[in-house]
Amino acid sequence: MFKPGHSIAAHYDGAFDVDALEDWAAQLRNNFPGDEVSLGLVFTSPQFFGQAVELLEILRVHARIPLLVGCSGSSLVANAREVEDSPGLTLALHHLPGAKLDALHFTQKQVEAADTPGYWPEATGVEDTNGWLTFVDPFHLNAEAWLPQWNASWPGKPVIGGFASGTLADQTSQVYLNGDVHEEGGVALSVGGGVALQSVISQGCTPIGETWTITRAEQNIIYEIGNRSAYEVLTETFENLSDTGKEKTRGNLFVGLVVNEYVEEFHRGDFLIRNLIGADSENGDIAIGGTPRAGQTLQFQRRDARGAGEDMDELMHRASESLNGNPVYGGCLCCCTGRGKNLFGASDHDAGLVQHHLGDIGLSGFFCNGEIGPIGNDNFLHGYTASLALFVGAETK
């Protein structure tokens, strides 16, 4: 359950005004009903790029924040609101009892130097963690190389977060650590001790057709499914849909790959969703935006607003049920820029569902250029996804 007094979040929609920001930050801190603040999460629109250093100092001083991390976002999340394409900032304050928090900035140079699983624990000073909350610059860091390194360094530990969004024209985004503003690399928060990170990764798809076993694949090409032509199985799956189903699926077809075969039944959240890049009727193969392997379970998926809503709702229900009385000390929601009103036709869908299932947990976040989160025991890069990190009590988890 949510413990009142452990977190608070708010959105500021004014211009950069020192007096107004000082008053707003002080009022937020004064409204914080619990114990001392352990952590602040801040997300800003690109309007504040030029004043980011001064802005962070105002928030740290007047909201009395000992550790502040965050990044820029084209749209922001505050509690049940998704403030899309409007200037402003979101600030959340969290009290995390018993938590061991370590925050750092990391760079592409470090990614290139990381040649062993022991590199990152030594470079970060973090040997043991319950999980990572990460915000990454999408323009100057090779995340496809970085994330597998962290999977190897802290196996089985969740890495949750997203890619900062900013101004695409000049490829500028910002990540924040205390009073420092970085336009490259990433910031990462290790959460250990008495607080853990629980993830909800909603990839926005509905399974269609049957589950199949991949019987021949190479690199990103699937040649055979169930000892049949992959193209034939794809075509059959589509043709077996109703006329309405075909209309919904056309142009919205994806591939789901099971990452953990050691479960009796496969459900939402068990599949890693990847793009269906192409299908070759002559050769009988299909190409996907991932690396399938022979023996892996596959199911085709449809992504649309209704399916995405059902997926998020079911996963949030499952997450709330799994808490088993563990306290929730707040959350951070990283949504793809393709979600929100672009997908659902209205704002507040994902943030509203979080609050619907968990109550007023003090939720902050932003809209991303890509999302990060676990499926099974490994962490992956995602698209069109809502990646939610919950701060939960670790002692009974």
Side-chain angles (χ1 to χ4, degrees):
M1 68 182 68
F2 171 64
K3 297 292 187 181
H6 283 289
S7 63
I8 189 172
H11 179 259
Y12 173 88
D13 60 4
F16 183 81
D17 180 285
V18 172
D19 292 337
L21 282 163
E22 288 179 350
D23 290 344
W24 179 82
Q27 182 178 1
L28 183 65
R29 181 63 181 86
N30 290 337
N31 288 338
F32 187 70
D35 299 303
E36 75 277 2
V37 172
S38 309
L39 171 71
L41 296 178
V42 60
F43 305 100
T44 72
S45 64
Q47 131 190 43
F48 292 116
F49 276 0
Q51 299 88 23
V53 172
E54 189 175 359
L55 173 64
L56 296 181
E57 189 63 18
I58 290 171
L59 299 180
R60 293 174 68 207
V61 170
H62 291 274
R64 305 195 298 280
I65 304 171
L67 176 60
L68 182 65
V69 297
C71 68
S72 59
S74 57
S75 298
L76 307 175
V77 173
N79 299 312
R81 293 182 61 206
E82 297 170 6
V83 185
E84 299 193 55
D85 302 320
S86 296
L89 69 92
T90 290
L91 178 63
L93 307 178
H94 299 276
H95 172 61
L96 305 177
K100 184 180 186 302
L101 305 177
D102 296 282
L104 56 108
H105 173 245
F106 61 95
T107 66
Q108 174 63 24
K109 185 176 179 180
Q110 289 177 296
V111 173
E112 294 169 359
D115 53 0
T116 66
Y119 174 88
W120 282 110
E122 183 177 350
T124 61
V126 177
E127 292 287 342
D128 186 36
T129 182
N130 293 332
W132 291 93
L133 184 61
T134 57
F135 310 120
V136 179
D137 159 47
F139 304 117
H140 307 103
L141 187 127
N142 182 355
E144 290 186 351
W146 158 72
L147 191 55
Q149 294 172 357
W150 281 36
N151 283 336
S153 298
W154 296 280
K157 302 301 184 180
V159 181
I160 312 169
F163 294 83
S165 50
T167 53
L168 187 61
D170 58 2
Q171 295 194 335
T172 300
S173 66
Q174 294 181 341
V175 294
Y176 307 130
L177 176 56
N178 292 322
D180 295 325
V181 175
H182 303 279
E183 293 188 351
E184 52 80 30
V187 295
L189 172 71
S190 167
V191 180
V195 174
L197 286 178
Q198 179 169 326
S199 66
V200 177
I201 309 300
S202 176
Q203 300 172 88
C205 282
T206 298
I208 60 173
E210 304 174 34
T211 56
W212 298 88
T213 300
I214 299 171
T215 46
R216 189 159 72 94
E218 185 178 341
Q219 296 181 336
N220 73 319
I221 307 298
I222 302 175
Y223 294 98
E224 292 182 0
I225 300 173
N227 293 313
R228 297 168 55 194
S229 154
Y231 181 84
E232 180 182 326
V233 174
L234 169 63
T235 302
E236 179 182 288
T237 300
F238 182 80
E239 291 300 327
N240 285 341
L241 296 173
S242 66
D243 290 342
T244 301
K246 289 177 183 177
E247 184 64 28
K248 291 180 178 179
T249 304
R250 193 172 285 110
N252 296 306
L253 190 58
F254 294 78
V255 173
L257 301 173
V258 167
V259 297
N260 179 12
E261 300 286 346
Y262 300 103
V263 294
E264 293 184 3
E265 295 182 9
F266 302 120
H267 303 283
R268 294 182 188 271
D270 294 327
F271 293 91
L272 176 64
I273 307 300
R274 287 298 181 247
N275 290 330
L276 177 63
I277 297 174
D280 190 328
S281 58
E282 291 188 11
N283 295 329
D285 56 54
I286 63 175
I288 71 171
T291 308
R293 63 180 188 277
Q296 191 170 25
T297 300
L298 169 150
Q299 188 170 21
F300 293 104
Q301 311 271 331
R302 177 176 66 237
R303 177 175 283 150
D304 59 12
R306 180 174 179 177
E310 292 172 351
D311 186 64
M312 184 70 173
D313 187 48
E314 181 177 328
L315 292 175
M316 284 305 310
H317 175 73
R318 201 182 304 170
S320 65
E321 291 285 308
S322 71
L323 289 169
N324 294 322
N326 272 1
V328 179
Y329 303 126
C332 179
L333 179 62
C334 304
C335 286
C336 178
T337 55
R339 293 176 71 94
K341 61 187 177 185
N342 291 319
L343 178 61
F344 299 108
S347 298
D348 305 339
H349 178 276
D350 293 329
L353 273 177
V354 174
Q355 300 259 46
H356 171 72
H357 285 279
L358 298 179
D360 184 7
I361 63 169
L363 183 69
S364 66
F366 70 109
F367 279 57
C368 318
N369 278 324
E371 300 74 55
I372 304 165
I375 301 293
N377 288 326
D378 280 331
N379 300 286
F380 298 92
L381 306 177
H382 304 280
Y384 290 94
T385 293
S387 178
L388 172 66
L390 297 174
F391 300 108
V392 301
E395 56 280 350
T396 59
K397 190 172 168 59

